[in-house]
Amino acid sequence: MADKQPKALMEDVPVYLFTGFLEAGKTTFIQETLADPRFSAGERTLVLLCEEGEVEIDLSAVPEDNFIEVIDDPAQLTPENLQALLDKHYCERVLVEYNGMWLIEKLVAALPEPWMIYQEFCFFDTATFLPYNQNMRQLVYDKLQTADCVVFNRFSDSDSKEELHKIVRGASRRADIVYEWPDGTTDYDDIEDPLPFDLEAPIVEIADRDYAIWYRDMGEEMDKYKGKTVRVKGTTGFAVGLFGGSFILGRQVMSCCVEDIQMAGLACEWSGKRPKLRDWVIVTAKIEIKRHICYGGKIGPVLVVSKLEQAQEPEDPVATFY
């Protein structure tokens, strides 16, 4: 073993993340994944268990070169500790069964620099999902917002795909949704989910109730908004480095609960007189995708304003996804 070099020192380490609450089916899926020859072709794999339910992973039933380490305290999630566990077994990829009561940002902040989340699967027991969503909305939303695929296990005829779909789409428009029946068969969600505004209109009208959806969708698929002209309402703000009439247009957005309300703003270039701070205005603007000081010099959507109008505060000044 002395001549082996930890894979992490040579290239990126792919991380496959499995989230959800206890008894949602994460462990069973991980077991099946490790046993699948399409996934395992001799790669040395580290499995990090951040919670342990009734079902346990049986390494004797999967190919060799899979190693389990238990992390039972979020304080153990540090770059140094995670890298040490990887190097201990000379592994080249990682599977994480994450604790449903821990926020994902804790894990993301702890990933060593070469580690990259390749795929994120989120599992829920359909029978307990709605109570969890009602009573622990922040934890549910935390798992939904970054998932590539959301699986509802033990789905039955008495469950509503439309209700589950709406909750998932309130957190993410990009996640695939799968409904798994007790006999193991699956249905893929095919409910149409059109945007509530017409992107092909000469001027794309963003209604007050749709600001959050528009803002998130533009962040996820920036290029499709390039060159579009929009008409949208928001409140004004300023930032260091903005000159002339330039300002920030934004709304407070609530993703899941009051505690997570934050300002979602966009850089605006305007050649006229700068509006007052916290004015409610309606802007008509062409969207350009370029680097801007408001985004720390990174690329983002910039509203080049051609018309600015004073406006009344919306009936609900906090924008939501519902």
Side-chain angles (χ1 to χ4, degrees):
M1 299 288 285
D3 60 337
K4 291 189 176 182
Q5 292 295 317
K7 189 76 170 179
L9 296 180
M10 296 183 280
E11 59 186 47
D12 291 337
V13 176
V15 177
Y16 299 88
L17 177 58
F18 302 85
T19 68
F21 300 101
L22 277 172
E23 311 310 320
K26 299 192 299 294
T27 306
T28 299
F29 190 83
I30 291 173
Q31 179 81 48
E32 294 171 351
T33 298
L34 292 173
D36 190 336
R38 294 171 298 178
F39 181 78
S40 297
E43 298 90 344
R44 296 177 69 84
T45 304
L46 174 64
V47 181
L48 296 177
L49 299 182
C50 298
E51 66 179 7
E52 297 180 88
E54 292 184 3
V55 178
E56 295 183 357
I57 294 176
D58 179 10
L59 289 184
S60 68
V62 302
E64 296 180 357
D65 294 332
N66 292 290
F67 306 89
I68 291 178
E69 294 286 349
V70 176
I71 295 180
D72 52 16
D73 187 331
Q76 297 173 275
L77 291 175
T78 66
E80 297 76 16
N81 187 46
L82 295 182
Q83 189 64 49
L85 294 176
L86 188 81
D87 295 344
K88 173 182 176 181
H89 301 290
Y90 297 94
C91 289
E92 53 195 294
R93 63 181 180 180
V94 181
L95 273 66
V96 181
E97 181 173 357
Y98 201 57
N99 191 311
M101 305 307 291
W102 301 352
L103 293 175
I104 292 177
E105 65 181 5
K106 176 67 177 175
L107 173 66
V108 172
L111 293 180
E113 187 173 342
W115 295 29
M116 296 182 62
I117 296 178
Y118 271 34
Q119 286 184 297
E120 182 178 338
F121 299 87
C122 182
F123 294 83
F124 293 104
D125 182 339
T126 307
T128 59
F129 174 73
L130 293 179
Y132 271 122
N133 185 60
Q134 181 177 358
N135 299 311
M136 295 190 295
R137 172 62 181 163
Q138 184 178 13
L139 288 172
V140 171
Y141 180 87
D142 177 66
K143 310 302 178 289
L144 292 175
Q145 64 177 337
T146 54
D148 296 301
C149 180
V150 178
V151 180
F152 289 102
N153 278 318
R154 307 177 187 99
F155 185 82
S156 69
D157 289 328
S158 62
D159 297 312
S160 168
K161 290 182 179 178
E162 288 75 13
E163 186 174 17
L164 300 176
H165 172 97
K166 181 179 178 180
I167 293 172
V168 175
R169 288 292 174 255
S172 170
R173 291 182 62 87
R174 69 180 182 85
D176 293 326
I177 305 173
V178 179
Y179 309 98
E180 182 166 331
W181 298 80
D183 64 1
T185 58
T186 57
D187 292 339
Y188 284 85
D189 185 280
D190 59 0
I191 299 173
E192 290 191 14
D193 199 36
L195 291 167
F197 41 83
D198 183 5
L199 268 180
E200 300 308 314
I203 299 178
V204 182
E205 298 278 351
I206 308 300
D208 291 346
R209 66 179 179 276
D210 298 329
Y211 183 91
I213 293 174
W214 170 66
Y215 182 88
R216 183 183 65 194
D217 191 64
M218 186 160 51
E220 293 178 349
E221 299 186 68
M222 226 180 295
D223 287 343
K224 76 181 183 185
Y225 287 89
K226 184 178 181 180
K228 300 292 185 181
T229 298
V230 298
R231 188 170 184 268
V232 60
K233 181 190 292 184
T235 186
T236 59
F238 307 126
V240 175
L242 288 179
F243 299 101
S246 295
F247 59 96
I248 296 171
L249 181 84
R251 293 275 303 273
Q252 286 190 315
V253 172
M254 181 173 69
S255 298
C256 68
C257 50
V258 174
E259 290 76 11
D260 78 352
I261 292 176
Q262 57 184 321
M263 181 60 70
L266 297 162
C268 292
E269 295 181 351
W270 168 238
S271 59
K273 181 181 178 181
R274 177 183 280 183
K276 296 179 181 178
L277 180 65
R278 287 188 286 275
D279 267 359
W280 282 95
V281 299
I282 296 174
V283 302
T284 302
K286 184 176 180 179
I287 300 174
E288 294 185 358
I289 308 300
K290 59 185 181 181
R291 298 184 186 279
H292 199 279
I293 191 170
C294 286
Y295 309 131
K298 296 180 180 179
I299 293 176
V302 177
L303 305 186
V304 181
V305 179
S306 59
K307 185 177 181 180
L308 187 148
E309 310 165 72
Q310 295 294 314
Q312 296 294 316
E313 180 178 308
E315 182 177 346
D316 188 349
V318 177
T320 68
F321 296 95
Y322 297 95

